[in-house]
Amino acid sequence: MSDPLRPPSSSETLEMRPISSSPAGTNDIAEDIEDDEPKGSNNDRRALVRLASSFFLFGLINNVLYVIILSAALDLVPPSTPKGIIAFCNIAPALVVKVGWPYVLKGRIRYAKRVIGCCLLSVLGMIVVAFSDALSMRLLGISLASFSSGLGELTFLQLSTTYAPPSIAGHSVGYFASGTGAAGLVGAFLWWELRSLGVRVGVGLSSVLPFVIPLTFYFLLPPNSAFLPSSSYDDDDSAYPITSTLPYTPLPTDDDVAEEEGGVPAGPKRVSLSPNDKLQLVKPLLMKYMLPLFCVYLFEYTINQGIAPTLLYPVPSPDKYSFLSKFIHSVRDYYPLWQLVYQTTVFFSRSSISMGLPPLPARLLSLPSIVQCLILLSLAYESAVGFYSDDSEGLSIITVFLLVSLEGICGGLAYVNVFYRINQERPDPNAANDVERTRQEREFKIGSIGFADSSGILLASLVAVPTEVRLCRAQIRRGKLLCHGL
């Protein structure tokens, strides 16, 4: 949220000190602060911890309802209804938001209003799901929650660009990505614990989770003024519009007269990106950021929804496979196992930057999608033909375990690195002296990327159905009947 920064005297300018361009953990950044501001280092360290905690919670809570709904799919629709309709309603509204919202609305983003709106919409959606028995109403509730989740992800990624210097902005993105990764594990665990209470009580209890977001926004998230006035930062690859050559400019608060989303521009300087401005901004992003992210998610969710359900093997014998037999007690245990492995590795890979690991170089952003394609082909071959003989299920299970782990790593790395790199891009030199325009350009660019992953997931949901059917038929032709009837 935008709080006013301390205005300097007329002779003051921001003096920037270079630090490493690689993302640092909280302690690393705080140590940089301590060198310059020994008296304020404790406050700066606390501010960084609050920032990291806030964006982690934003990612966790914003995505956890999506996971809960997918985990509860079997309980939300009648047995005769295809479960894919849940996945469709859970992703399509979010895709619509990510495709349309950055382009339709204009002017300054009012983050407080968005946060409150997302919270109320999520709560309403979950209540409709919980207290409606009609399928149409439940699908409506899922769609409302999906719309809110898509808008929330867009909002928090854009919010990260309001923090400076770039190391702080990258810090925010890293922890948000980590939170979204944790949502997969937390959501699956929560529904495992709540499902015994039934849909009405279990989903109803889940509807209180969105209230964490406005509480975090108002009471935990530090203002962007917590970093600029007291500490001097800059990166060699600075993406922040305010440089050492420009006088310090305070950011307006929500109460200031400013241009509002979808409204009429107001204030002393009216800045609004035109449709042509946005088109020119998005063109360079298509091949560099959007295509790699789209491909990773297309391959990833085709694996999860179309191939993983067919990666079935006989139940391991305790005498021959004592370790595997502790986890797999029936053929139905394989699919949840692959999902657990996938979600765990996604969490760790999405947390790579927040753990202090260096980001992928910009030239290697397409690498995860290439590896993901090879994983898809390998798992499809294992499902249809098999790498090993039918009596070597132990080797097959270990191979699939490793490939699914690598799948999660690729997906998580693609997500966090694409958004980190777009967050760190330099502003247009022609607009660098226009702080408000540069700010809106950065918000738009990171917001425009989001539809790539959602469109990849949506397309994968369409590709996955025939993929699963054909792989199962291929198994039956070679005498492997485990997928039949599941």
Side-chain angles (χ1 to χ4, degrees):
M1 60 186 174
S2 299
D3 284 346
L5 305 177
R6 178 185 61 82
S9 63
S10 59
S11 61
E12 271 187 294
T13 59
L14 281 180
E15 296 178 359
M16 301 290 190
R17 179 174 60 84
I19 62 173
S20 170
S21 60
S22 63
T26 301
N27 292 336
D28 297 329
I29 302 177
E31 286 171 4
D32 288 328
I33 297 172
E34 190 171 355
D35 291 340
D36 287 343
E37 303 285 341
K39 293 182 180 180
S41 62
N42 289 334
N43 290 335
D44 293 322
R45 192 183 300 272
R46 284 195 294 269
L48 285 165
V49 171
R50 289 171 59 199
L51 181 76
S53 302
S54 297
F55 274 89
F56 182 87
L57 286 172
F58 289 151
L60 173 64
I61 303 301
N62 187 71
N63 283 34
V64 75
L65 296 183
Y66 169 83
V67 178
I68 288 175
I69 287 172
L70 286 183
S71 302
L74 290 176
D75 303 301
L76 294 177
V77 298
S80 59
T81 303
K83 307 305 177 285
I85 194 172
I86 296 292
F88 180 83
C89 291
N90 212 13
I91 192 64
L95 175 60
V96 171
V97 172
K98 293 178 182 180
V99 171
W101 202 278
Y103 297 90
V104 173
L105 296 182
K106 60 182 180 179
R108 181 181 297 279
I109 296 173
R110 311 293 286 202
Y111 289 102
K113 291 183 178 181
R114 276 207 195 176
V115 165
I116 296 298
C118 288
C119 172
L120 296 178
L121 201 58
S122 291
V123 172
L124 176 61
M126 297 302 281
I127 288 177
V128 170
V129 172
F131 293 96
S132 299
D133 295 323
L135 176 62
S136 58
M137 291 302 295
R138 285 187 172 178
L139 294 179
L140 173 62
I142 292 170
S143 298
L144 291 175
S146 171
F147 186 94
S148 172
S149 177
L151 182 58
E153 182 176 7
L154 181 69
T155 297
F156 298 125
L157 287 170
Q158 291 176 322
L159 179 62
S160 72
T161 68
T162 67
Y163 285 84
S167 57
I168 298 295
H171 193 67
S172 305
V173 170
Y175 274 95
F176 178 79
S178 181
T180 62
L185 296 174
V186 173
F189 173 78
L190 280 177
W191 185 248
W192 181 268
E193 294 297 321
L194 294 174
R195 64 178 181 170
S196 61
L197 302 176
V199 169
R200 182 154 300 186
V201 177
V203 176
L205 289 175
S206 301
S207 67
V208 304
L209 293 174
F211 288 108
V212 174
I213 289 180
L215 291 175
T216 300
F217 184 81
Y218 282 107
F219 299 108
L220 182 61
L221 179 70
N224 38 31
S225 58
F227 304 100
L228 280 177
S230 62
S231 304
S232 297
Y233 303 87
D234 196 13
D235 289 359
D236 293 336
D237 296 325
S238 175
Y240 195 69
I242 304 175
T243 69
S244 58
T245 62
L246 292 176
Y248 173 69
T249 304
L251 298 175
T253 66
D254 288 339
D255 295 329
D256 290 338
V257 179
E259 184 178 352
E260 186 171 345
E261 286 181 328
V264 178
K269 184 172 183 179
R270 302 184 179 187
V271 177
S272 181
L273 299 179
S274 69
N276 185 61
D277 291 334
K278 294 179 179 180
L279 181 61
Q280 296 305 315
L281 287 172
V282 84
K283 281 182 178 179
L285 310 179
L286 289 171
M287 299 299 295
K288 188 176 181 180
Y289 298 115
M290 295 185 187
L291 183 61
L293 198 61
F294 170 82
C295 290
V296 161
Y297 275 83
L298 172 61
F299 301 147
E300 185 172 331
Y301 276 78
T302 299
I303 293 171
N304 291 343
Q305 300 174 8
I307 300 178
T310 69
L311 296 172
L312 307 172
Y313 305 93
V315 177
S317 168
D319 297 332
K320 190 175 180 181
Y321 304 105
S322 58
F323 181 75
L324 288 175
S325 64
K326 295 178 180 178
F327 302 96
I328 301 171
H329 306 289
S330 72
V331 175
R332 288 181 173 270
D333 290 337
Y334 282 105
Y335 183 70
L337 174 63
W338 306 143
Q339 293 306 300
L340 176 62
V341 172
Y342 162 76
Q343 295 288 1
T344 302
T345 51
V346 164
F347 167 61
F348 284 111
S349 57
R350 286 196 178 193
S351 303
S352 59
I353 289 179
S354 63
M355 292 190 296
L357 298 178
L360 287 176
R363 66 182 183 278
L364 295 181
L365 287 178
S366 60
L367 180 61
S369 62
I370 296 172
V371 176
Q372 201 78 295
C373 180
L374 296 176
I375 295 171
L376 183 148
L377 295 175
S378 299
L379 289 174
Y381 181 86
E382 163 61 21
S383 176
V385 180
F387 290 116
Y388 312 103
S389 61
D390 291 341
D391 59 350
S392 301
E393 65 268 18
L395 288 175
S396 298
I397 293 171
I398 292 172
T399 300
V400 172
F401 177 90
L402 294 175
L403 288 172
V404 171
S405 298
L406 187 57
E407 174 209 352
I409 290 172
C410 288
L413 287 178
Y415 182 92
V416 68
N417 280 280
V418 162
F419 285 110
Y420 176 83
R421 286 297 176 190
I422 188 67
N423 184 288
Q424 301 291 292
E425 278 202 339
R426 287 177 178 271
D428 182 353
N430 297 325
N433 292 335
D434 188 337
V435 175
E436 178 60 27
R437 183 177 183 85
T438 302
R439 170 181 175 146
Q440 290 188 25
E441 287 182 351
R442 295 185 68 214
E443 289 173 331
F444 169 76
K445 287 197 293 185
I446 201 170
S448 67
I449 298 294
F451 91 94
D453 58 345
S454 296
S455 56
I457 295 172
L458 189 63
L459 181 58
S461 67
L462 303 177
V463 174
V465 175
T467 299
E468 180 180 358
V469 171
R470 291 183 180 182
L471 289 176
C472 186
R473 288 175 179 172
Q475 291 183 6
I476 292 173
R477 284 196 297 269
R478 64 186 177 96
K480 186 177 181 181
L481 307 178
L482 294 174
C483 68
H484 185 67
L486 286 181

Short mmCIF file of all heavy atoms in Angstrom, two decimals, residues 178-216:
data_model
loop_
_atom_site.label_atom_id
_atom_site.label_comp_id
_atom_site.label_asym_id
_atom_site.label_seq_id
_atom_site.Cartn_x
_atom_site.Cartn_y
_atom_site.Cartn_z
N SER A 178 7.34 -18.33 -3.48
CA SER A 178 7.47 -19.37 -2.47
C SER A 178 6.13 -19.67 -1.81
O SER A 178 5.78 -20.83 -1.57
CB SER A 178 8.49 -18.93 -1.42
OG SER A 178 8.66 -19.92 -0.43
N GLY A 179 5.35 -18.63 -1.54
CA GLY A 179 4.03 -18.83 -0.95
C GLY A 179 3.08 -19.57 -1.86
O GLY A 179 2.32 -20.44 -1.41
N THR A 180 3.13 -19.26 -3.16
CA THR A 180 2.26 -19.99 -4.09
C THR A 180 2.67 -21.46 -4.17
O THR A 180 1.83 -22.34 -4.36
CB THR A 180 2.33 -19.37 -5.51
OG1 THR A 180 3.67 -19.46 -6.01
CG2 THR A 180 1.89 -17.92 -5.50
N GLY A 181 3.98 -21.74 -4.05
CA GLY A 181 4.42 -23.13 -4.03
C GLY A 181 3.95 -23.86 -2.78
O GLY A 181 3.53 -25.02 -2.84
N ALA A 182 4.01 -23.18 -1.65
CA ALA A 182 3.55 -23.79 -0.40
C ALA A 182 2.06 -24.05 -0.41
O ALA A 182 1.57 -24.96 0.27
CB ALA A 182 3.90 -22.87 0.78
N ALA A 183 1.30 -23.27 -1.20
CA ALA A 183 -0.15 -23.45 -1.26
C ALA A 183 -0.53 -24.85 -1.72
O ALA A 183 -1.55 -25.40 -1.28
CB ALA A 183 -0.77 -22.41 -2.19
N GLY A 184 0.26 -25.44 -2.61
CA GLY A 184 -0.04 -26.79 -3.08
C GLY A 184 -0.01 -27.80 -1.95
O GLY A 184 -0.89 -28.66 -1.83
N LEU A 185 1.02 -27.70 -1.10
CA LEU A 185 1.14 -28.63 0.02
C LEU A 185 0.11 -28.33 1.11
O LEU A 185 -0.56 -29.23 1.62
CB LEU A 185 2.55 -28.55 0.61
CG LEU A 185 3.69 -28.99 -0.31
CD1 LEU A 185 5.04 -28.72 0.35
CD2 LEU A 185 3.56 -30.46 -0.67
N VAL A 186 -0.04 -27.05 1.45
CA VAL A 186 -0.96 -26.68 2.53
C VAL A 186 -2.40 -26.97 2.14
O VAL A 186 -3.19 -27.49 2.94
CB VAL A 186 -0.78 -25.19 2.88
CG1 VAL A 186 -1.85 -24.73 3.88
CG2 VAL A 186 0.61 -24.94 3.45
N GLY A 187 -2.78 -26.65 0.88
CA GLY A 187 -4.15 -26.88 0.44
C GLY A 187 -4.52 -28.36 0.45
O GLY A 187 -5.61 -28.74 0.91
N ALA A 188 -3.62 -29.20 -0.06
CA ALA A 188 -3.89 -30.64 -0.08
C ALA A 188 -4.00 -31.18 1.34
O ALA A 188 -4.87 -32.00 1.64
CB ALA A 188 -2.78 -31.36 -0.85
N PHE A 189 -3.12 -30.70 2.24
CA PHE A 189 -3.16 -31.17 3.63
C PHE A 189 -4.45 -30.72 4.32
O PHE A 189 -5.08 -31.48 5.05
CB PHE A 189 -1.94 -30.65 4.39
CG PHE A 189 -1.97 -30.94 5.86
CD1 PHE A 189 -1.67 -32.21 6.34
CD2 PHE A 189 -2.32 -29.96 6.78
CE1 PHE A 189 -1.71 -32.48 7.70
CE2 PHE A 189 -2.36 -30.21 8.14
CZ PHE A 189 -2.05 -31.48 8.60
N LEU A 190 -4.83 -29.44 4.10
CA LEU A 190 -6.04 -28.94 4.75
C LEU A 190 -7.28 -29.72 4.34
O LEU A 190 -8.11 -30.08 5.19
CB LEU A 190 -6.24 -27.45 4.38
CG LEU A 190 -5.41 -26.44 5.15
CD1 LEU A 190 -5.66 -25.03 4.64
CD2 LEU A 190 -5.71 -26.50 6.65
N TRP A 191 -7.40 -30.02 3.03
CA TRP A 191 -8.60 -30.76 2.63
C TRP A 191 -8.54 -32.20 3.13
O TRP A 191 -9.58 -32.80 3.42
CB TRP A 191 -8.79 -30.72 1.11
CG TRP A 191 -10.08 -31.39 0.74
CD1 TRP A 191 -10.28 -32.55 0.08
CD2 TRP A 191 -11.39 -30.91 1.10
NE1 TRP A 191 -11.61 -32.84 -0.02
CE2 TRP A 191 -12.32 -31.84 0.60
CE3 TRP A 191 -11.85 -29.79 1.78
CZ2 TRP A 191 -13.69 -31.69 0.77
CZ3 TRP A 191 -13.22 -29.64 1.94
CH2 TRP A 191 -14.11 -30.59 1.44
N TRP A 192 -7.35 -32.77 3.24
CA TRP A 192 -7.23 -34.11 3.80
C TRP A 192 -7.78 -34.14 5.22
O TRP A 192 -8.43 -35.10 5.62
CB TRP A 192 -5.77 -34.54 3.79
CG TRP A 192 -5.53 -35.92 4.32
CD1 TRP A 192 -5.25 -36.28 5.61
CD2 TRP A 192 -5.59 -37.15 3.59
NE1 TRP A 192 -5.11 -37.64 5.72
CE2 TRP A 192 -5.31 -38.20 4.48
CE3 TRP A 192 -5.83 -37.44 2.24
CZ2 TRP A 192 -5.29 -39.53 4.08
CZ3 TRP A 192 -5.79 -38.76 1.85
CH2 TRP A 192 -5.53 -39.79 2.76
N GLU A 193 -7.53 -33.06 5.98
CA GLU A 193 -8.01 -32.98 7.35
C GLU A 193 -9.49 -32.59 7.44
O GLU A 193 -10.20 -33.01 8.35
CB GLU A 193 -7.16 -31.96 8.14
CG GLU A 193 -5.71 -32.36 8.32
CD GLU A 193 -5.56 -33.62 9.14
OE1 GLU A 193 -6.31 -33.79 10.12
OE2 GLU A 193 -4.69 -34.46 8.79
N LEU A 194 -9.96 -31.77 6.49
CA LEU A 194 -11.32 -31.24 6.57
C LEU A 194 -12.36 -32.10 5.88
O LEU A 194 -13.56 -31.95 6.14
CB LEU A 194 -11.36 -29.83 5.97
CG LEU A 194 -10.58 -28.73 6.69
CD1 LEU A 194 -10.61 -27.44 5.88
CD2 LEU A 194 -11.16 -28.48 8.08
N ARG A 195 -11.93 -32.98 4.98
CA ARG A 195 -12.91 -33.69 4.15
C ARG A 195 -13.83 -34.58 4.97
O ARG A 195 -14.98 -34.83 4.57
CB ARG A 195 -12.21 -34.51 3.09
CG ARG A 195 -11.34 -35.63 3.61
CD ARG A 195 -10.73 -36.42 2.47
NE ARG A 195 -9.92 -37.53 2.97
CZ ARG A 195 -9.44 -38.48 2.20
NH1 ARG A 195 -9.70 -38.48 0.90
NH2 ARG A 195 -8.71 -39.45 2.72
N SER A 196 -13.37 -35.06 6.12
CA SER A 196 -14.21 -35.91 6.96
C SER A 196 -15.40 -35.13 7.52
O SER A 196 -16.39 -35.72 7.95
CB SER A 196 -13.40 -36.51 8.11
OG SER A 196 -12.87 -35.49 8.93
N LEU A 197 -15.31 -33.79 7.51
CA LEU A 197 -16.40 -32.95 8.01
C LEU A 197 -17.49 -32.73 6.98
O LEU A 197 -18.55 -32.18 7.29
CB LEU A 197 -15.85 -31.60 8.47
CG LEU A 197 -14.78 -31.63 9.56
CD1 LEU A 197 -14.27 -30.22 9.83
CD2 LEU A 197 -15.33 -32.25 10.83
N GLY A 198 -17.22 -33.13 5.72
CA GLY A 198 -18.18 -32.93 4.65
C GLY A 198 -17.95 -31.62 3.93
O GLY A 198 -17.22 -30.73 4.42
N VAL A 199 -18.58 -31.47 2.78
CA VAL A 199 -18.38 -30.28 1.96
C VAL A 199 -18.86 -29.02 2.67
O VAL A 199 -18.18 -27.99 2.68
CB VAL A 199 -19.10 -30.44 0.60
CG1 VAL A 199 -19.12 -29.11 -0.15
CG2 VAL A 199 -18.43 -31.51 -0.24
N ARG A 200 -20.03 -29.10 3.28
CA ARG A 200 -20.61 -27.89 3.87
C ARG A 200 -19.71 -27.31 4.96
O ARG A 200 -19.41 -26.13 4.97
CB ARG A 200 -22.00 -28.20 4.41
CG ARG A 200 -22.72 -27.01 5.02
CD ARG A 200 -24.21 -27.18 4.97
NE ARG A 200 -24.69 -27.32 3.58
CZ ARG A 200 -25.97 -27.37 3.24
NH1 ARG A 200 -26.91 -27.28 4.15
NH2 ARG A 200 -26.31 -27.51 1.97
N VAL A 201 -19.27 -28.16 5.88
CA VAL A 201 -18.44 -27.67 6.99
C VAL A 201 -17.00 -27.45 6.53
O VAL A 201 -16.38 -26.43 6.84
CB VAL A 201 -18.48 -28.68 8.16
CG1 VAL A 201 -17.55 -28.20 9.29
CG2 VAL A 201 -19.90 -28.83 8.68
N GLY A 202 -16.45 -28.40 5.76
CA GLY A 202 -15.06 -28.30 5.34
C GLY A 202 -14.78 -27.09 4.47
O GLY A 202 -13.86 -26.30 4.74
N VAL A 203 -15.59 -26.90 3.42
CA VAL A 203 -15.42 -25.73 2.55
C VAL A 203 -15.83 -24.46 3.28
O VAL A 203 -15.22 -23.40 3.08
CB VAL A 203 -16.22 -25.91 1.24
CG1 VAL A 203 -16.12 -24.66 0.37
CG2 VAL A 203 -15.71 -27.12 0.47
N GLY A 204 -16.85 -24.57 4.13
CA GLY A 204 -17.27 -23.40 4.90
C GLY A 204 -16.17 -22.87 5.79
O GLY A 204 -15.95 -21.66 5.88
N LEU A 205 -15.44 -23.78 6.45
CA LEU A 205 -14.31 -23.35 7.28
C LEU A 205 -13.20 -22.73 6.43
O LEU A 205 -12.53 -21.79 6.86
CB LEU A 205 -13.77 -24.55 8.07
CG LEU A 205 -14.65 -25.08 9.21
CD1 LEU A 205 -14.04 -26.34 9.82
CD2 LEU A 205 -14.84 -24.01 10.29
N SER A 206 -13.03 -23.24 5.22
CA SER A 206 -11.99 -22.70 4.33
C SER A 206 -12.30 -21.26 3.92
O SER A 206 -11.38 -20.51 3.55
CB SER A 206 -11.88 -23.55 3.07
OG SER A 206 -11.55 -24.89 3.39
N SER A 207 -13.57 -20.86 4.01
CA SER A 207 -13.94 -19.51 3.56
C SER A 207 -13.40 -18.41 4.46
O SER A 207 -13.46 -17.23 4.09
CB SER A 207 -15.47 -19.40 3.46
OG SER A 207 -16.06 -19.48 4.75
N VAL A 208 -12.87 -18.76 5.63
CA VAL A 208 -12.30 -17.73 6.50
C VAL A 208 -10.86 -17.40 6.11
O VAL A 208 -10.33 -16.35 6.52
CB VAL A 208 -12.34 -18.16 7.98
CG1 VAL A 208 -13.76 -18.51 8.40
CG2 VAL A 208 -11.40 -19.32 8.26
N LEU A 209 -10.23 -18.25 5.32
CA LEU A 209 -8.82 -18.04 4.97
C LEU A 209 -8.56 -16.72 4.24
O LEU A 209 -7.55 -16.06 4.50
CB LEU A 209 -8.31 -19.21 4.14
CG LEU A 209 -8.21 -20.56 4.85
CD1 LEU A 209 -7.82 -21.66 3.87
CD2 LEU A 209 -7.19 -20.48 5.98
N PRO A 210 -9.43 -16.29 3.30
CA PRO A 210 -9.13 -15.04 2.58
C PRO A 210 -8.99 -13.81 3.47
O PRO A 210 -8.36 -12.83 3.07
CB PRO A 210 -10.32 -14.89 1.63
CG PRO A 210 -10.80 -16.28 1.40
CD PRO A 210 -10.61 -16.98 2.71
N PHE A 211 -9.55 -13.84 4.69
CA PHE A 211 -9.43 -12.67 5.57
C PHE A 211 -7.99 -12.43 6.00
O PHE A 211 -7.65 -11.35 6.48
CB PHE A 211 -10.34 -12.84 6.79
CG PHE A 211 -11.80 -12.71 6.48
CD1 PHE A 211 -12.62 -13.83 6.50
CD2 PHE A 211 -12.35 -11.48 6.14
CE1 PHE A 211 -13.98 -13.72 6.20
CE2 PHE A 211 -13.71 -11.36 5.84
CZ PHE A 211 -14.52 -12.49 5.87
N VAL A 212 -7.15 -13.46 5.86
CA VAL A 212 -5.73 -13.27 6.19
C VAL A 212 -5.09 -12.21 5.30
O VAL A 212 -4.19 -11.49 5.74
CB VAL A 212 -4.98 -14.62 6.07
CG1 VAL A 212 -3.48 -14.43 6.27
CG2 VAL A 212 -5.53 -15.63 7.08
N ILE A 213 -5.55 -12.11 4.05
CA ILE A 213 -4.90 -11.19 3.09
C ILE A 213 -5.06 -9.72 3.49
O ILE A 213 -4.06 -8.99 3.59
CB ILE A 213 -5.41 -11.46 1.67
CG1 ILE A 213 -4.86 -12.80 1.17
CG2 ILE A 213 -5.02 -10.33 0.73
CD1 ILE A 213 -5.28 -13.18 -0.23
N PRO A 214 -6.29 -9.21 3.74
CA PRO A 214 -6.37 -7.79 4.16
C PRO A 214 -5.71 -7.54 5.51
O PRO A 214 -5.14 -6.46 5.72
CB PRO A 214 -7.87 -7.51 4.19
CG PRO A 214 -8.54 -8.84 4.24
CD PRO A 214 -7.64 -9.79 3.54
N LEU A 215 -5.76 -8.51 6.42
CA LEU A 215 -5.08 -8.33 7.70
C LEU A 215 -3.58 -8.19 7.50
O LEU A 215 -2.92 -7.35 8.14
CB LEU A 215 -5.38 -9.53 8.62
CG LEU A 215 -6.82 -9.64 9.13
CD1 LEU A 215 -7.00 -10.93 9.93
CD2 LEU A 215 -7.18 -8.43 10.00
N THR A 216 -3.03 -9.00 6.60
CA THR A 216 -1.60 -8.90 6.29
C THR A 216 -1.28 -7.58 5.62
O THR A 216 -0.28 -6.92 5.93
CB THR A 216 -1.19 -10.07 5.37
OG1 THR A 216 -1.44 -11.31 6.03
CG2 THR A 216 0.29 -9.99 5.02
#
